[in-house]
Each structure stands twice: as C-alpha cells, then as structure tokens.
Amino acid sequence: MSEFAIEARGLVKQFGSTRAVDGVDLAVGPGRVLGLLGPNGAGKTTIVRILATLTRPDSGSATVADHDVVTEADQVRSRIGLTGQFASVDNRLTGFENLLLIGRLLGQSRRDARQGARTLLARFELAGAADRPVQGYSGGMRRRLDLAASLVGKPRILFLDEPTTGLDPRARRQLWNLIGELVTAGTTVLLTTQYLEEADALAEDILVIDHGRVIARGSPDELKARIGTRTLVVRPASPSAVETVSRVMTELTGSQPERQGGRLSVPANDPDLLSALVRRLDELEIALAELLLRSASLDEVFLALTGQRVESEQDQPQVES
Amino acid sequence: MKSLPASGLEQTFSLAWRSIVQLRRNPWELGDYSFQPILFLLLFVYVFGGAIAGSTDDYLTYMLPGIVVMNMMFVTVYVGHGLNTDLTSGYFDRLRAMPVARWAPLAGRITADLVKQAWSIVLLLGLGWLMGFRMEAPVWGLLSMVLLVLVFALAFSWVSVLVGVIARDPEHVHLFGFTALFPVTFVSNVFVPVETMPGWLQGVVMANPVSVLSDASRGLLLGGPWLAQAGITLAWAVGIIAVFAPLSLWALRRRLK
C-alpha cells in the first residue's frame, strides 16, 4: 500500500517531435487536492490522460489507488472518475438517461442506476432538467452533468481536466462549491487549470507545469512566498501621467513596470519604496487614483517562473486608495 | 454499494440502447432510415417505373429488393457517423476511462445499426406490399433475404467504422458516405437491368456486390436463382471484414494514442 492515492515517477510522453510530458513526478495523498497549473499546451491534459489510463506513457510509471495505470488499467478505471475538458455527455440523451447509461455500464442494476441518477441530478441541481435533452442545457448545467457522470461509480479519486473552462463566474463558483463538497467528503482530486483563481480556490498543493516539466511545486502560499515579492500597483488619475509615473517607478525599483490600461505594476521588495514613490510623485504634482502594495498573485508567480502569462479571467479586484 | 463489473455483452446492449434512444432527437437520421427510402421507392416506381419496365407493377417487382439493398448501404453511414461524434466530442474517452470492455462501444454501435437496418427493411417491404408487391417464394425466402442483407450490412459497417475513425468531424463522414455510396449503389442493377447498359459498364455493374446481393434478394423473394449470388455475397462480406476490421482497429489505435 502506497501512502499516496496517485503517484507518478518520471512520466514521459512524446508526440512526434514534441515532448508533451517530460519527466514529471507527482504524488497526491488520499483526500488531498493537487492542482496542475500551466498555460495551454503545457502538458497538463496529457498527464491527466496518462493517469486516467487513456494514454500510455513512453516511459516512467504511475499508480492510481495502488494499481499501475498501464498493467492494471481496468482496476484503475473502476476506481476513478474523469471529467474531461469538453463536457463529454451525450447531447441527444436527457440528463437522466446519460447517468442511467453510465450506471448500467458500470454494472449497476436497473433500479440502482435509476435511483443513483435521480439522486445525483437532485444534488447537482439538475432535477428540473433531468428529462430534457442535454442539447438544451447551458454550459454550466452541462458541466455539472459531466461531473455528476464522473461520480456515478462513487470514485474515491477524481480527475478534473479544466473543469470550469468557458463558464461564467457564477457557474464557475457553483462548480467550485460542488468540488469542495466532494473534497470534504474525502475524495482525492487532481485538477488542471489555467486559472489562478481556480488553483488558489481549490488546490492545497500546486504543480506549475510548463513545456511538459514541473517548474515549481508547493502550496499556493508557498509559491507566492517563493518569489518573495510584493507588487506595487499605481494608477495615475490622469492617463497622460502614465509615462512619467512609469519612469519614476523604473528609477526607484530598477525594473520596468508592467502596464495594463492606465495601471502600472512592478515587483517591490524595498519597504521604503511606497513612501519614496509618494514623495516623488508629490513633487511632480501627479495625482493618483490608485496605489497599493499587495502580495504576488499566482499569475505573477507564473510570470516570474516562466516569463509567460497564465490566462487570467478577471483582473485583480480594484482597490481604491 | 459495490457493483460487479458488467459483462461486455451487457455493456454492448446498454450502448446499443443509447444509439436507438438518440434517434428521438435526431429527426434527420430517422428520416434517412424512413422517409428517404419511402421517397425513393415512390418516386422511382411511379415516375420512372412505367418508362423503365413498361408498367409500375412490373417495376416495383424488379426494384423493391434492390432498393432494400441500396438503403442498407446508406444506413451503415451512421455507424461511422456516431463513432466519429463520440471520438470528436470526447465521449469515447469517457467510455475508455471506465471499466467498459474495449470492444463494447463498437459492438454497441453495430448492434444498434442492425436494429435500424431491420426497421428500414420491414418499412420498405411493408410499403412495397401496400403498393402491390407480392412474394412468390415461401417465408423462408423472405427470412433468408433479410438475414443475408443484415450479414452484408454487418460487414459493410466496418467500412463505415474506418471512415468514422479517420474523418475529422461527423460532417465529413456524411460527405464521404454520400459521395462514395451514390456511385456504388447507382452503378449496379438496383434500378435497371444490367442488359440495358453499355458492355464495358456491364462488367463493372455485375462485379459490384450491391448487384450481386440485389440479385440474391430478388431470387429469394421471387423464387428465382439465388444460391450462387448468396454465396458470392457472403464471400464479399468475409472479404470486407478481413480487410476493413483490422484496418479500422489499427486506425483507431493510432487515433487514440
């Protein structure tokens, strides 16, 4: 018995000339949530596909629930649930029929499968739409049904590949709550995401993946602490002052601030920086609409680690000063 | 509650049930099994029948067995269409990540296809009967004819499976189905006797398994010769499976890599 629900050593997968996965090690303890964070094409999906027995690794090995994903694939399959990137439910069946079919495929009796389907639909707030074809479902409903479909066999281990991609914030939050409930009930979860908020909200441990490699690992807080910096954010009241402010910030910090609309942000380590900046801008008679010093977001962690941006859904919340 | 793994056969039936329940929400597909053959039958018999065979009754007698065969060919397109839909939508992956027998998804499609095929055959023969078609052979002739058409459908489904595996999206499966099947079914003796065609074409038409199966069907329904044609049809079926089944599975493995 391994102490981990999911464990992988040295996974490699090559597609043509690209190494989609290039020597990945990971371990997830039972009941924990691991987030794979990385941009599109980083290899996150391939890792999930290997662990969910859909793709064979070229080298390396992995066990899920103490079974090898290659040689004991069927044992693995009966212990996992998978929610893929595209809600893979049948559009031409009703929500109820979708879940019934999966129950039957898993060997449940007709009665159990029906009962299980109704229970899941109610729990996922789909009872009202249960007997309508999935074709007419909204994106959020479809994802909830997809997640419900992954749970028909009551798996202890759940793989969620970008579970909320393409959902509006409300539907996303709703799905997060559902995932949170599953975790509270003891399900082990491995999820991939491009969204920092998502990794931050759901995952206890994070692997940052880029070009098929793990480039950083730790809890969200550890990762934020790792680049150690806080960020200074400044927005002049008048857009015409942006250039001047940018110059001042460069002088004070030694690095070029990043510009998003009228807002400038720059890593800031020196605690005296804030007062120095205020003084300088005061001398120049530049009024500020916004000024804050905040700890790094995962986005910045990622940027610092890879020199690349992770797609971020919403801007950071505005703080007026 | 821990459930026992379902047997591959049960899973096949569950997946076949799925394909058939889906029909309620896909009027186009249902139309292809139902209205299209009815339309063809009515058009050809009442519009061209007199000109081709002298009377609509004679033409109905000639053409009904053939149109059953032609329709069977078109219905097989949906095996590949459905498979491709599952591959492109990720549904196939969902099945593969479950303890489902490797062969059950394909077997489920093909089983459902046979049910749809049987429905189309009964529909066409029933309409033919209403229009005046009368069998001249005993009931075993009818049963053998249906069985022979289904066996060939089973074999030809593998061609459709291959197309379904290779095609980029379901629309391409359709496109292929129609561009390839129209010549294959029309360059046959389904609609007109081969004797009326130019000599060079006769050779092609008589080599076409659609013609051979149509002749066997005529023989079985109307009391004519059928044994040789049925034998050749079965040989074709075996040949098609021998080539296309391994090819399809190879292509599928490649696609799923």
Side-chain angles (χ1 to χ4, degrees):
Chain A
M1 282 283 284
S2 157
E3 58 178 312
F4 298 112
I6 305 169
E7 196 174 9
R9 288 163 302 268
L11 291 183
V12 172
K13 181 71 187 181
Q14 185 116 9
F15 292 114
S17 60
T18 40
R19 286 209 151 190
V21 179
D22 194 3
V24 167
D25 298 315
L26 61 84
V28 193
R32 290 193 70 83
V33 185
L34 175 72
L36 302 184
L37 174 67
N40 255 331
K44 307 182 302 283
T45 296
T46 310
I47 295 171
V48 168
R49 290 179 61 86
I50 291 172
L51 296 174
T53 77
L54 293 175
T55 299
R56 274 166 175 263
D58 294 332
S59 69
S61 65
T63 55
V64 171
D66 289 318
H67 292 283
D68 186 280
V69 295
V70 175
T71 57
E72 301 172 300
D74 259 340
Q75 281 94 318
V76 172
R77 287 178 190 129
S78 57
R79 287 166 176 79
I80 61 167
L82 169 68
T83 295
Q85 239 177 81
F86 313 100
S88 39
V89 285
D90 190 326
N91 281 336
R92 288 186 186 138
L93 298 182
T94 63
F96 174 71
E97 286 164 349
N98 263 290
L99 299 188
L100 177 66
L101 173 64
I102 294 199
R104 294 291 290 155
L105 288 173
L106 292 174
Q108 298 173 0
S109 72
R110 223 173 289 260
R111 224 184 104 244
D112 286 349
R114 278 172 194 280
Q115 223 161 46
R118 292 288 175 201
T119 310
L120 275 171
L121 288 164
R123 183 166 148 212
F124 283 71
E125 291 172 47
L126 290 167
D131 298 311
R132 293 209 315 258
V134 174
Q135 247 156 10
Y137 281 24
S138 71
M141 290 163 77
R142 203 179 292 247
R143 286 304 177 104
R144 294 207 303 276
L145 181 64
D146 195 16
L147 185 57
S150 313
L151 298 177
V152 170
K154 299 188 168 51
R156 304 290 299 152
I157 298 172
L158 199 56
F159 294 101
L160 305 172
D161 192 10
E162 304 202 357
T164 65
T165 299
L167 292 187
D168 62 61
R170 205 186 75 88
R172 167 170 306 164
R173 207 152 285 282
Q174 193 176 14
L175 211 64
W176 285 357
N177 289 339
L178 287 167
I179 295 168
E181 283 169 27
L182 293 169
V183 174
T184 310
T187 310
T188 307
V189 175
L190 187 147
L191 71 98
T192 75
T193 182
Q194 310 184 39
Y195 303 129
L196 308 150
E197 304 96 307
E198 188 154 287
D200 218 353
L202 293 175
E204 298 158 292
D205 305 299
I206 293 178
L207 295 191
V208 184
I209 310 274
D210 193 37
H211 293 110
R213 291 173 169 280
V214 178
I215 56 170
R217 57 180 87 211
S219 69
D221 287 340
E222 280 164 8
L223 284 178
K224 287 178 199 165
R226 192 173 138 165
I227 60 166
T229 65
R230 292 189 290 175
T231 301
L232 178 64
V233 182
V234 183
R235 185 157 63 89
S238 150
S240 60
V242 170
E243 282 307 324
T244 319
V245 175
S246 174
R247 203 154 26 78
V248 172
M249 288 170 81
T250 312
E251 273 170 37
L252 290 173
T253 64
S255 52
Q256 182 82 30
E258 195 174 335
R259 196 166 155 176
Q260 270 181 307
R263 198 186 295 155
L264 297 156
S265 53
V266 72
N269 292 314
D270 183 356
D272 297 333
L273 197 66
L274 203 56
S275 48
L277 181 78
V278 171
R279 250 189 333 266
R280 283 293 303 276
L281 295 181
D282 209 28
E283 283 163 24
L284 295 166
E285 294 183 347
I286 291 172
L288 296 184
E290 186 180 343
L291 173 65
L292 71 133
L293 193 60
R294 58 165 170 73
S295 52
S297 71
L298 275 173
D299 196 3
E300 281 145 352
V301 174
F302 196 82
L303 187 65
L305 291 167
T306 66
Q308 223 182 327
R309 255 184 188 290
V310 174
E311 218 172 283
S312 180
E313 272 289 271
Q314 301 124 334
D315 278 334
Q316 298 301 322
Q318 300 245 349
V319 182
E320 305 292 329
S321 65
Chain B
M1 161 209 65
K2 193 79 208 152
S3 42
L4 293 167
S7 77
L9 210 58
E10 283 175 287
Q11 290 169 337
T12 299
F13 287 132
S14 294
L15 289 164
W17 167 83
R18 167 191 175 223
S19 296
I20 289 165
V21 171
Q22 279 181 334
L23 280 179
R24 280 180 312 192
R25 315 235 160 65
N26 195 1
W28 284 110
E29 186 178 346
L30 197 62
D32 278 358
Y33 300 145
S34 313
F35 309 118
Q36 184 186 294
I38 291 173
L39 210 64
F40 262 75
L41 187 60
L42 293 174
L43 278 177
F44 269 84
V45 168
Y46 293 121
V47 178
F48 302 117
I52 296 171
S55 86
T56 54
D57 281 350
D58 287 347
Y59 189 60
L60 178 65
T61 304
Y62 175 80
M63 186 261 224
L64 185 65
I67 204 158
V68 168
V69 173
M70 178 183 109
N71 189 59
M72 171 274 289
M73 299 286 283
F74 280 107
V75 170
T76 57
V77 171
Y78 281 101
V79 176
H81 186 265
L83 178 62
N84 188 273
T85 307
D86 282 355
L87 284 168
T88 47
S89 70
Y91 199 83
F92 205 79
D93 281 343
R94 155 148 276 147
L95 295 178
R96 289 204 314 136
M98 287 167 46
V100 168
R102 300 288 88 172
W103 47 271
L106 266 183
R109 287 259 161 230
I110 293 179
T111 306
D113 183 61
L114 290 181
V115 174
K116 298 169 188 173
Q117 292 283 6
W119 155 256
S120 276
I121 295 172
V122 168
L123 191 74
L124 275 172
L125 291 179
L127 180 65
W129 187 82
L130 287 178
M131 290 163 70
F133 181 88
R134 291 295 176 266
M135 274 190 48
E136 284 156 37
V139 179
W140 66 260
L142 173 69
L143 295 179
S144 313
M145 179 261 185
V146 172
L147 197 66
L148 190 64
V149 172
L150 289 181
V151 167
F152 192 82
L154 188 75
F156 197 74
S157 296
W158 283 102
V159 178
S160 180
V161 168
L162 181 64
V163 176
V165 171
I166 292 173
R168 202 159 6 107
D169 54 50
E171 283 66 40
H172 279 82
V173 179
H174 253 291
L175 197 66
F176 171 86
F178 287 97
T179 44
L181 288 182
F182 264 104
V184 170
T185 49
F186 272 76
V187 182
S188 75
N189 65 12
V190 165
F191 295 107
V192 286
V194 67
E195 297 79 41
T196 59
M197 301 175 193
W200 58 269
L201 191 58
Q202 290 191 14
V204 179
V205 167
M206 287 324 291
N208 185 347
V210 174
S211 304
V212 182
L213 177 55
S214 298
D215 274 343
S217 302
R218 288 188 193 102
L220 283 165
L221 289 182
L222 302 170
W226 58 271
L227 193 59
Q229 283 83 352
I232 298 171
T233 302
L234 290 176
W236 267 103
V238 171
I240 291 171
I241 291 177
V243 172
F244 284 92
L247 209 57
S248 303
L249 295 178
W250 171 79
L252 187 61
R253 251 190 298 271
R254 256 180 70 101
R255 178 162 184 161
L256 295 176
K257 216 166 156 190

